[in-house]
Amino acid sequence: MHCLSLMISFKCLLLPQICFPSDTTPSFPFPFPFPSLSSRSNSASISSVSSSISFHPKLKARAIPEPSAQDQQEDFQVLTAIKTEYNDIFILDTPKSRLLLLDSTHNVHSIFNKEEKRTGSYWGYGDEFASLPAIVPEGPIAILGLGGGTAAHLLLDLWPSLTLEGWEIDEILIHKSREYFGLFDLEKHNQAGGILHVHVGDALSPLVNVPGGYAGIIIDLFSEGKVLPQLQEFGTWLNLKDKLMANGRLMVNCGGADCNTAEISSINGGWVKNSTLKALCRAFPGQFINLSWKKMSEREGENYLALTGPFPDSTSWSAAVPGWLSSNVEQWTPCGPFP
């Protein structure tokens, strides 16, 4: 039996060891992406900041059990390997999860756990996105960069009455996600009335809009392992801000640091190294803090996340989400004035 240890190279996010029988020699339409896999990556002192924020009056996320420890070795099966206009799509199946690998960088974009929706890694980012409904008004939430639907699954599991509007540019990826990641199940109204509406097209086009605006927009847009360059432009964020309803928020996966130099320990010194955060700060200025940030752990890839709007009350936010998310929401930091 040949074994390939899947090491997420973005600061060593580990996946279970993947093994296949020695007599199995799969063939693919393009080079199989082992062993180098990676997670999605690009690759004023504030003494007290608080403001009133809107919490869902009718929604409270239901609890999900804590995950059990994963085995360190699993067999896998390649369910599909196909090249599209936008991606090199690999979908791997193990006894406990399915993995979506995209583009020529062989990045892992989605992990779908069969036993629970919580991912426990970026799934990390998918988990972080699931905390957004607690701090936005009632209304539709857009997911720009739907991918395999990891975030959508978790959002509707925790907040079953949500209306989600998911945008993805790769139509073939949507078909594969329906077939292998249960996306089709989310496109039907659940018992609480929640649903995912899937749209195929450019997530940054003027077509991405709803009457009255979105309560929240989740932005998770990458190509070839890097944040889309449009997200580093001031004008892009002005356009996205105009798509929000009053008190709506954006939550953004900003990718990693822009350079390899050691991170400066100060608050500003850390986040200003990310060009997407810089553009966001220019688009959301003001006398009060209108942008917050956090950096994921080394295990989770060390990407930066951004949240727009007044700095949330962490106590109220923490109380509105499941226990395993409560500590995460307390890690957000308000951004200081842009230098």
Side-chain angles (χ1 to χ4, degrees), residues 285-290:
Q287 181 179 359
F288 301 102
I289 301 302
N290 285 309

Side-chain angles (χ1 to χ4, degrees), residues 310-328:
F311 190 62
D313 177 73
S314 59
T315 301
S316 300
W317 191 5
S318 177
V321 298
W324 53 269
L325 269 178
S326 61
S327 61
N328 294 26

Side-chain angles (χ1 to χ4, degrees), residues 237-251:
W237 297 110
L238 292 181
N239 291 334
L240 287 171
K241 182 165 63 172
D242 289 341
K243 299 177 188 290
L244 293 170
M245 65 174 60
N247 299 315
R249 295 177 183 266
L250 310 177
M251 187 176 280

Side-chain angles (χ1 to χ4, degrees), residues 9 37 106 176 201 205 215 250 267 312:
S9 64
L37 299 179
H106 310 136
K176 296 298 181 182
S205 77
L250 310 177
I267 291 177

Side-chain angles (χ1 to χ4, degrees), residues 123-135:
W123 326 172
Y125 310 139
D127 294 352
E128 294 288 341
F129 294 152
S131 67
L132 180 62
I135 54 170

